[in-house]
Amino acid sequence: MADMTVNQSAVRSKPAVNVNTRAIVMGLYLVFLILPIYWLVNMSLKTNTEILSSFSLWPRDLTFQNYATILTDPSWYMGYVNSLIYVVMNTLISIVVALPAAYAFSRYSFMGDKHLFFWLLTNRMAPPAVFALPFFQLYSSVGLFDTHIAVALAHCLFNVPLAVWILEGFMRGVPKEIDETAYIDGYSFGRFFIKIFIPLIASGVGVAAFFCFMFSWVELLLSRTLTSVVAKPIAATMTRTVSASGMDWGVLAAAGVLTIVPGALVIYFVRNYIAKGFALGRV
Amino acid sequence: MEKTVNQKAWFLVLPVLLLVAFSAVIPLMTVVNYAFQDTFGNNVFFWAGLTWFEELIESDRMWAALGRQAIFSAIILAIEVPLGIFVALNMPKKGFWASFCLVLMSLPLLIPWNVVGTIWQIFGRVDIGLLGYTLDKLGISYNYTQDFYAAWITVIVMDVWHWTSLVALLAYAGLQSIPDAYYQAAKIDQASRWNVFRYIELPKMAGVLMIAILLRFMDSFMIYTEPFVVTGGGPGNATTFLSIDLVKMALGQFDLGPAAAFSLMYFLVILLISWVFYTVMTNLDKREG
């Protein structure tokens, strides 16, 4: 009996203790995540002399000069423009070709479908390092080196499979009866697909587009290998400026902060789909 | 869901097939080509047979890089998976704080990889970085460009910082799918916290967790940008992982043959793991459907 009472009181008091330890664990983890990012923002708001001469947890001499440098110098801001151009191109291409394919995989079985689906997966998993040199030679030989479309096509290597898998994951949730009803009502495939089906999986298209955008945006190796001047992405601009001018930490930090902005802007809308997107539409 | 057999579905898949073939098969064939040939320039090639593969298997360089890669992947999995599960168990279930945690945790996942490198490059510097400065003031010698252990610890902590949230978010998604009735039943049985985890939460998370482990393994196995920015593969070759070594060989030294042979063996490993991944995914789909 004594045991019982002890147990019960333990059970009763548990929630209060739980909440506290939970909050502490999450608090610590989030601080660990935010601290390095905070430091980058902190540095971007300091002058170089302040960065190098004194050590402070927040900018004493608040300046936006570093951001001004980037936003007024074409060799800097064109990096963002170039990145945005090929990322948007890649996202559009990936989604447009992936939509019908994902529909086929989710609705029909056909010869070789499983093999094809698996082959797509291997391309998502393929290391860009393996493809860097052949891509360089392929795009040089067809005269596409240093163009935006070259990077956009190269990123299709992993983004098209990603989009197909994510969209397939969303499409399997749509009951097949909807398709059949539409066909009975006399819809052609094209009209049904655009008018009825795509609106139904609009959130899936949004998530797939977000992930294509993201993975193309964060990639450095291929975009750096395939460009030199005209289409040079921001990531490459950053690395080259570090080695050339050496120590312009403030501008480097500001450039870093600006590359985080696109992700940070939409993060709230995709928060419930992040896991699904990274796990290729499963989960 | 029952699928109808329809061979015309091939037409829907065709654009994807052509596009991915253009960006995957043609380059891969070039790699295969180089792997079996030798050249003295001017685009004149000789059949080299298996020379490159033999050379590669005998060379210490590839084995050393592979060894470092395996150790790196093992360490980050050993840290990120338990930590990710632990974080997921402590996340708020719903409401404002759940969204708050989700948003903040997703943030590192969406940062460009070279910026992740830059962040840690700055953060770890003794003169201007918070981490390096603090460690220095505490009297711990820490220099990731010179010291072997400091370089490894920096790269590992960076990866934990970057990717633990992915494991946590996937585990969290798995936990969310457990009906409340399971917990109520456990409460009636007076199951301990450990037993609830061991017999309810872990089995329910198993599939999702398997995906998380495979994803982390794959992505850590081809890690390039982050360590390249922070340490450049050094000091010496201490953090030269497979991809870094391969890029050095192919684009730095232009050793086409060995690099191509290297690529092919790399690719075979990837293929094997992709197959495991695919099997896990399809089993998961079946269980749901």
Side-chain angles (χ1 to χ4, degrees), chain B residues 188-223:
Chain B
I188 291 167
D189 290 345
Q190 296 208 338
S192 67
R193 184 70 193 86
W194 167 252
N195 279 338
V196 171
F197 176 70
R198 172 69 190 77
Y199 295 104
I200 296 177
E201 290 171 338
L202 199 57
K204 276 281 172 183
M205 276 195 292
V208 184
L209 220 48
M210 193 67 193
I211 294 181
I213 291 171
L214 284 164
L215 275 176
R216 277 318 300 132
F217 180 74
M218 296 293 306
D219 287 342
S220 70
F221 210 71
M222 53 198 200
I223 190 166

Side-chain angles (χ1 to χ4, degrees), chain B residues 55 57 66 74-75 83 87 118 141 172 183 187 214 237 248 250 270-271 284:
Chain B
E55 199 174 276
I57 285 174
L66 185 64
I75 292 177
L83 184 62
V87 169
T118 309
S141 110
Y172 179 70
Y183 289 112
K187 213 172 196 176
L214 284 164
N237 275 333
K248 246 186 221 170
I270 301 293
L271 212 59
L284 206 65

